[in-house]
Amino acid sequence: MRALALRTENVLATTALAGIMLLPLAEIATRRFFETGIPGSAPFAQNLTLWVGMLGAAIAARDGKLLVLATGEFLPKNLAAFGHVIGAFVGAAIATIFAVGGWALVHTEREVGDLVALNVPVWMSVTVFPVAFALIAVRLVWRASPHWTGRAIAALGIAAGYWLTAHQEILEGAALWPWLTALVVAGVLGAPIFALLGGIAMFGFFIDGSRPVVPLIKAYAELTSPSANIAAIPLFTLTGFLLAEGKSSERLLRALRGLFGWAPGGTAVAAATLCAFFTLFTGGSGVTILALGGLLLPALLKEGYPERFSIGLLTASGSLGLLFPLSVPLILYGIVAQNVAIEDLFIGGLLPGLLMLGLVAALGVRQALRSGARRLPFSTTQMWAGLWEAKWELLLPVVVLTALLGGYATMSESAAIAALWALIVQRFIHRDLPRMRDVLRVAADSAGLVGGVLLILAVAVGLTNYLVNAQVPTNLLDWTQSHIHSRALFLLALNVFLLLVGTVMDIFSAIVVIVPLIIPLAEVYDINLVHLGVIFIANLELGYLHPPLGLNLLLASVRFQKPVLEVMWATLPMLGILALGVLLITYVPWLTLGILHWMGKVQ
Amino acid sequence: MSARSFVKRTVLVAALGALVALPLAAQAPVTIRLATGAPVNSAWHKALLDMGAELTAKTGSRVRLTVYAGGTQGDEISTIRMMRPGVDQLQANLLTLGGLSQIDPAFDAFGMPFFFQSDDETLAVLQKLTPMLDQKLEAKGFHRVAWGSAGWVQLFSKKPLRTLAEVKQAKLFTSQGDDRMVQWYKSNGFNPVALSANDIPAQLKLSTGMIDTAPSPPYPALMLQIFRDAKFMLDVHVAPLLGALVITNNAWTKISPADQKVVSEAGAAFERKVLAEAPKLDADSVNTMKTRGLTVTTLDPKAQAEFQAAAEKLVATMRGGMVPADVYDTVVRERDAFRKTKGR
């Protein structure tokens, strides 16, 4: 029975994913041959993206993968168990409030009868809100503790949340700071980030006398926005997950070693490049280390690279792809920043991305020369054989970028092409996914990751709206303008600030929360929005490696079974050289804007 | 104190309390939060602020109006949602045709391209239809306080447009949330892209934006700087952009009858002002934009006739699918009746 329910959930999420992949492609095809196209293809795809996000969030809660602040890992064991229960209590309370708000939205939409398209009513689409948030609440309670006492305490969160929605007037006109403090403490103890952000928004709205349905109306508008290209996030992530399955990584590694293996440091360069290639799809760099660490570490050791260096290299490489075209964080930045073309971000990130990759590769070459790592004999036939074998994977970015930058397909359509391409290659050409059941598993896994991200996007719209109403960006602007008088100083302050943000927050939450606050500042200090995006992501890339809380350090420690401290020392040289890269990217805008300038896209 | 006198006292206090509270309840201040996509500092925004000041003064602060302009509360679909009885986040809205037809498809009759030829004609038909439209709005929970007009919709594009064929080629903005409209465009060979109206300026600015052509009256095109990116305007007077100031029935019934009268009067003044200003705003905005680099394309009589003929065919296909048949017939009848009496 439980297995059936879980399966239904996976199948639903996968079907929605398939819908957002196939609808735009079918629309292109039918419009070519018949004038009409598919009625409602765009609004249906937008609403299915909402379903992928919300069902994915429920799956993430089920699998314990909701994004949390990186602080929980460092709590002492007793406190951690206690913190986990408190975090679950608060998370369940906030999720319950959102579920009640979602239910109210279903109710009003039923009365009004707005349509998505054809005869499909909006209320049917928004039903996913109360369902997903209720599931999240229940699952947070279930996972709160292995003991029933812990679960019972966490379950009180559901009751507390429900009680608050029935008595929200007690909050009207109250001060926000006690609630804010409580939420932040819960976040530090391990409450999911969505509860922290959504909770601040919700309490802010309650204090203004607004009902819990308001943030959900905003979330619905954001997640189904036709201009935001949100569908690109699940589709590119699915692409990355499909490629990470099976032997794609081995094929690519052979191809890259054929290309670079003969040169000093060739294998290190190949490893870093391969990591970058994977990260640009999966975005959350942790996936890269987990997926490729097992393949790349032995390869490096075999060639004679010291273990410590190899671990450092792989840990750092885990986030190298974030600046390259198709990177999910770049897309998310474009969505949140609004007035910037994602295509321009792709072009702008190219040189900075290559710079970061080059810096890490340079360390690899130096190490190879020092420790006399083995080189492969150069062989043209081997090189061609490797490239030929990996041709489908290597062609993917070429096809997608040609479609996108050539203006043949929109962002969402390009993402759909990428996902379909990866699916056909992995399922039917290489047969790395031998059964449809494997495809289902991979799709549900990727929906889980995407759900964590889109959940934060959904609740953060309410937060941003609240902050704007409370004039926080305006006040921040005034403060900054009166304290920071030069552009260079502002950039330095930005570097330091983002470094701190990057140590506690994952890249997606950081983008969603911080970007709307920073953009008015950037406009005042005359910083191009593409440049700002690249600075932002380069900085957060660094945050992954920064002691004490960098996410890559923790994941590498798990993957390579080494203490965090050791991984930290191993990564230090990389961190140093990448920090140099970030400074170059920040203070030499030409790196980002040069090509765009040359193309006439920026003045 | 005996139990009896306690009860007596309590009753007395309660009765006194009720006496004091009754008139207070009737006069409890009503705060109306009004959202609109009208640009900040535009003539319409200012007219709303003036109206708010007037309401505060004339009702002794019993009716207060807070205006959120520039689409800061979201696009029309979202702000309408926030006016629903179970939500009640916003109580009033200055909507354009897109939002109004979202509430009731009867309003689509006023969006039919090249159907009306002058303000007089439009207003005459609107006047005839007002009772029916008001009734439809009431049924959906909205009370109309005033009509408005944002001027005549022209086509703003990044590349010059001269013929209907070129218009059909363009990536043309249409309002999100109305898939019937999208299908209608597609089946007539257009390339519609459904977006929120708030997205128009940004999407035109982007080098790889989703649209390259947007229908807009000149004044918003000037205020939102649309003309800086869409440097060409096809002067074809597609349709007047009808607007309406609506308030939720919920909020309306909370206002005392005397104050309702004040609101209605202020609404009428708002309507007179906005309707009277519209033609001048259109003309002045075009002139200003021309001095700042806008190229206006006017059609020669032959091309104009071609547009008109094609449009009549297109409009005929809207009956039933896009515009409810009875409304369509009424609008055609009233327009033709007006043309007969006034001559052309």
Side-chain angles (χ1 to χ4, degrees):
Chain A
M1 186 61 206
R2 182 150 179 271
L4 183 73
L6 297 187
R7 213 177 137 72
T8 313
E9 194 175 4
N10 288 356
V11 170
L12 267 179
T14 308
T15 312
L17 251 178
I20 57 176
M21 177 174 80
L22 295 175
L23 269 175
L25 298 179
E27 167 78 13
I28 299 176
T30 48
R31 281 203 77 181
R32 185 150 282 247
F33 300 112
F34 318 97
E35 285 254 279
T36 47
I38 300 170
S41 60
F44 283 139
Q46 286 145 16
N47 279 272
L48 284 174
T49 308
L50 164 76
W51 275 61
V52 171
M54 292 314 298
L55 290 174
I59 291 175
R62 179 186 81 195
D63 300 344
K65 284 185 189 155
L66 287 175
L67 298 170
V68 290
L69 291 179
T71 44
E73 312 276 341
F74 283 80
L75 298 173
K77 217 169 177 189
N78 285 343
L79 190 61
F82 168 75
H84 211 68
V85 172
I86 296 300
F89 173 92
V90 172
I94 303 298
T96 305
I97 300 175
F98 272 88
V100 172
W103 180 245
L105 182 58
V106 174
H107 191 72
T108 46
E109 280 304 317
R110 277 193 79 137
E111 282 180 356
V112 177
D114 279 353
L115 297 178
V116 173
L118 296 179
N119 284 322
V120 179
V122 170
W123 72 259
M124 236 182 232
S125 173
V126 296
T127 304
V128 78
F129 279 126
V131 171
F133 277 111
L135 279 173
I136 292 170
V138 171
R139 285 168 172 169
L140 281 171
V141 169
W142 181 255
R143 299 185 65 96
S145 161
H147 308 294
W148 284 102
T149 344
R151 285 178 188 162
I153 295 170
L156 289 176
I158 294 182
Y162 188 79
W163 186 87
L164 258 181
T165 59
H167 299 86
Q168 65 168 100
E169 65 281 353
I170 61 159
L171 277 168
E172 225 174 301
L176 181 63
W177 67 264
W179 299 95
L180 190 76
T181 317
L183 285 165
V184 170
V185 169
V188 170
L189 285 175
I193 293 183
F194 92 85
L196 176 57
L197 304 179
I200 298 172
M202 235 356 145
F203 288 128
F205 277 112
F206 283 175
I207 286 165
D208 283 349
S210 301
R211 302 191 188 172
V213 61
V214 175
L216 283 128
I217 293 176
K218 301 206 177 280
Y220 181 64
E222 173 76 12
L223 289 187
T224 59
S225 158
S227 59
N229 289 306
I230 294 185
I233 293 181
L235 290 174
F236 279 130
T237 308
L238 176 65
T239 310
F241 271 69
L242 285 169
L243 289 184
E245 279 291 316
K247 305 205 164 55
S248 261
S249 44
E250 288 169 36
R251 284 191 289 274
L252 283 167
L253 182 61
R254 269 200 291 279
L256 289 169
R257 282 179 74 185
L259 274 180
F260 304 121
W262 53 273
T267 302
V269 174
T273 313
L274 179 59
C275 285
F277 187 84
F278 266 92
T279 308
L280 59 89
F281 287 117
T282 51
S285 69
V287 185
T288 311
I289 297 179
L290 296 177
L292 300 181
L295 170 73
L296 293 177
L297 185 62
L300 286 169
L301 295 180
K302 211 175 93 194
E303 305 289 321
Y305 291 90
E307 187 182 38
R308 182 158 149 182
F309 166 81
S310 305
I311 289 177
L313 178 83
L314 293 178
T315 311
S317 303
S319 40
L320 275 181
L322 299 179
L323 286 170
F324 288 120
L326 311 186
S327 129
V328 173
L330 272 184
I331 297 173
L332 188 65
Y333 171 84
I335 290 172
V336 176
Q338 287 175 353
N339 291 343
V340 52
I342 294 172
E343 290 87 341
D344 291 358
L345 285 168
F346 286 172
I347 298 169
L350 207 58
L351 287 185
L354 285 173
L355 171 73
M356 298 291 252
L357 180 58
L359 289 172
V360 170
L363 277 189
V365 174
R366 196 186 69 144
Q367 185 65 45
L369 292 173
R370 263 199 189 169
S371 51
R374 228 160 26 104
R375 293 200 226 164
L376 303 175
F378 180 74
S379 138
T380 326
T381 33
Q382 284 253 333
M383 186 184 83
W384 283 115
L387 286 176
W388 184 248
E389 198 192 1
K391 60 184 176 300
W392 296 113
E393 286 89 350
L394 291 170
L395 266 177
L396 192 151
V398 178
V399 170
V400 173
L401 284 174
T402 310
L404 181 66
L405 299 180
Y408 302 107
T410 65
M411 193 69 220
S412 310
E413 287 161 2
S414 309
I417 294 171
L420 188 65
W421 181 286
L423 178 66
I424 291 174
V425 169
Q426 294 295 79
R427 173 71 184 85
F428 299 108
I429 297 180
H430 291 311
R431 297 188 170 277
D432 280 347
L433 297 164
R435 293 159 305 176
M436 249 2 235
R437 194 185 302 166
D438 299 309
V439 177
L440 196 68
R441 173 177 49 80
V442 175
D445 274 357
S446 69
L449 182 89
V450 167
V453 176
L454 293 188
L455 177 64
I456 283 169
L457 190 62
V459 300
V461 197
L463 178 68
T464 306
N465 189 264
Y466 174 76
L467 292 177
V468 170
N469 281 350
Q471 301 198 311
V472 171
T474 323
N475 292 337
L476 187 68
L477 188 63
D478 291 346
W479 187 88
T480 314
Q481 271 185 303
S482 63
H483 286 80
I484 298 179
H485 300 291
S486 81
R487 191 162 177 268
L489 199 61
F490 171 72
L491 286 171
L492 190 67
L494 186 66
N495 282 149
V496 174
F497 174 67
L498 290 177
L499 204 61
L500 292 175
V501 169
T503 52
V504 288
M505 248 189 201
D506 68 279
I507 193 160
F508 299 114
S509 313
I511 290 172
V512 169
V513 179
I514 309 290
V515 167
L517 296 176
I518 297 287
I519 283 198
L521 298 178
E523 277 164 3
V524 168
Y525 291 95
D526 195 26
I527 294 161
N528 183 290
L529 286 187
V530 175
H531 188 205
L532 180 74
V534 171
I535 294 175
F536 217 91
I537 292 179
N539 252 292
L540 291 172
E541 197 175 309
L542 217 55
Y544 275 110
L545 309 175
H546 191 260
L549 300 174
L551 184 67
N552 275 16
L553 299 176
L554 304 174
L555 288 166
S557 136
V558 172
R559 190 69 186 87
F560 304 126
Q561 299 183 331
K562 299 279 171 195
V564 177
L565 209 64
E566 203 179 315
V567 176
M568 210 162 89
W569 280 115
T571 315
L572 221 48
M574 309 287 166
L575 182 65
I577 199 159
L578 287 177
L580 184 71
V582 169
L583 289 177
L584 279 172
I585 290 169
T586 308
Y587 294 101
V588 186
W590 178 86
L591 278 171
T592 307
L593 302 176
I595 301 182
L596 287 165
H597 201 92
W598 176 73
M599 292 172 75
K601 286 184 174 236
V602 291
Q603 272 84 47
Chain B
M1 189 175 13
S2 74
R4 217 176 134 192
S5 74
F6 174 77
V7 170
K8 239 183 176 173
R9 250 195 199 190
T10 315
V11 169
L12 192 71
V13 167
L16 270 175
L19 268 178
V20 177
L22 260 179
L24 272 183
Q27 293 180 351
V30 182
T31 301
I32 296 169
R33 301 210 252 196
L34 181 150
T36 178
V40 175
N41 292 331
S42 63
W44 305 314
H45 183 200
K46 286 177 187 150
L48 288 170
L49 293 177
D50 290 347
M51 185 178 167
E54 192 184 327
L55 290 182
T56 312
K58 289 197 176 161
T59 64
S61 290
R62 286 187 305 275
V63 178
R64 273 181 243 150
L65 192 66
T66 315
V67 180
Y68 301 93
T72 46
Q73 292 294 311
D75 56 18
E76 294 195 334
I77 301 181
S78 290
T79 51
I80 290 171
R81 241 172 223 142
M82 289 200 275
M83 295 171 78
R84 303 291 187 203
V87 184
D88 201 29
Q89 177 76 358
L90 298 168
Q91 292 76 34
N93 213 328
L94 175 59
L95 292 166
T96 63
L97 199 61
L100 291 168
S101 51
Q102 188 76 22
I103 296 175
D104 195 289
F107 284 95
D108 275 322
F110 288 86
M112 295 191 289
F114 309 102
F115 183 80
F116 295 108
Q117 286 184 339
S118 70
D119 283 321
D120 289 345
E121 194 176 286
T122 316
L123 292 177
V125 175
L126 180 62
Q127 205 175 14
K128 295 279 186 189
L129 266 78
T130 295
M132 183 262 287
L133 294 173
D134 278 354
Q135 211 178 358
K136 287 187 186 282
L137 284 173
E138 294 283 343
K140 300 280 165 76
F142 300 94
H143 173 81
R144 186 186 57 82
V145 179
W147 290 120
S149 167
W152 284 76
V153 173
Q154 307 279 26
L155 285 177
F156 288 82
S157 58
K158 290 172 132 175
K159 286 176 285 184
L161 300 176
R162 276 178 222 92
T163 61
L164 191 61
E166 283 175 341
V167 175
K168 287 189 176 183
Q169 289 281 312
K171 291 190 277 178
L172 183 67
F173 166 87
T174 179
S175 288
Q176 174 198 2
D178 188 354
D179 198 58
R180 292 168 311 142
M181 190 68 176
V182 175
Q183 294 314 316
W184 178 84
Y185 267 129
K186 279 193 204 163
S187 59
N188 286 295
F190 290 88
N191 252 317
V193 180
L195 291 174
S196 154
N198 291 358
D199 288 330
I200 293 179
Q203 288 297 328
L204 284 174
K205 189 182 281 301
L206 296 178
S207 53
T208 44
M210 299 167 81
I211 50 171
D212 55 26
T213 303
S216 169
Y219 184 55
L222 170 66
M223 289 300 291
L224 300 171
Q225 306 270 309
I226 286 175
F227 73 101
R228 297 221 179 255
D229 303 294
K231 290 185 166 51
F232 299 91
M233 182 187 110
L234 182 59
D235 184 12
V236 283
H237 289 75
V238 181
L241 183 57
L242 186 72
L245 176 55
V246 297
I247 177 169
T248 60
N249 282 344
N250 252 352
W252 184 246
T253 47
K254 277 187 203 150
I255 302 173
S256 71
D259 288 344
Q260 280 182 353
K261 206 165 154 254
V262 177
V263 176
S264 296
E265 277 163 12
F270 172 89
E271 179 176 310
R272 276 194 302 278
K273 187 171 152 66
V274 168
L275 292 183
E277 275 180 356
K280 192 170 165 355
L281 281 179
D282 265 2
D284 290 354
S285 306
V286 171
N287 285 334
T288 312
M289 287 188 287
K290 269 185 179 168
T291 63
R292 297 194 201 159
L294 180 77
T295 309
V296 176
T297 314
T298 8
L299 294 176
D300 57 57
K302 188 168 155 268
Q304 180 78 40
E306 183 195 300
F307 254 93
Q308 190 69 36
E312 266 159 35
K313 274 189 206 147
L314 286 178
V315 165
T317 64
M318 289 186 142
R319 184 178 184 275
M322 276 304 302
V323 183
D326 56 328
V327 181
Y328 180 94
D329 294 340
T330 315
V331 174
V332 172
R333 196 176 60 237
E334 294 299 343
R335 180 197 65 175
D336 293 348
F338 175 84
R339 284 185 183 174
K340 252 182 214 147
T341 53
K342 299 284 159 168
R344 294 184 66 177

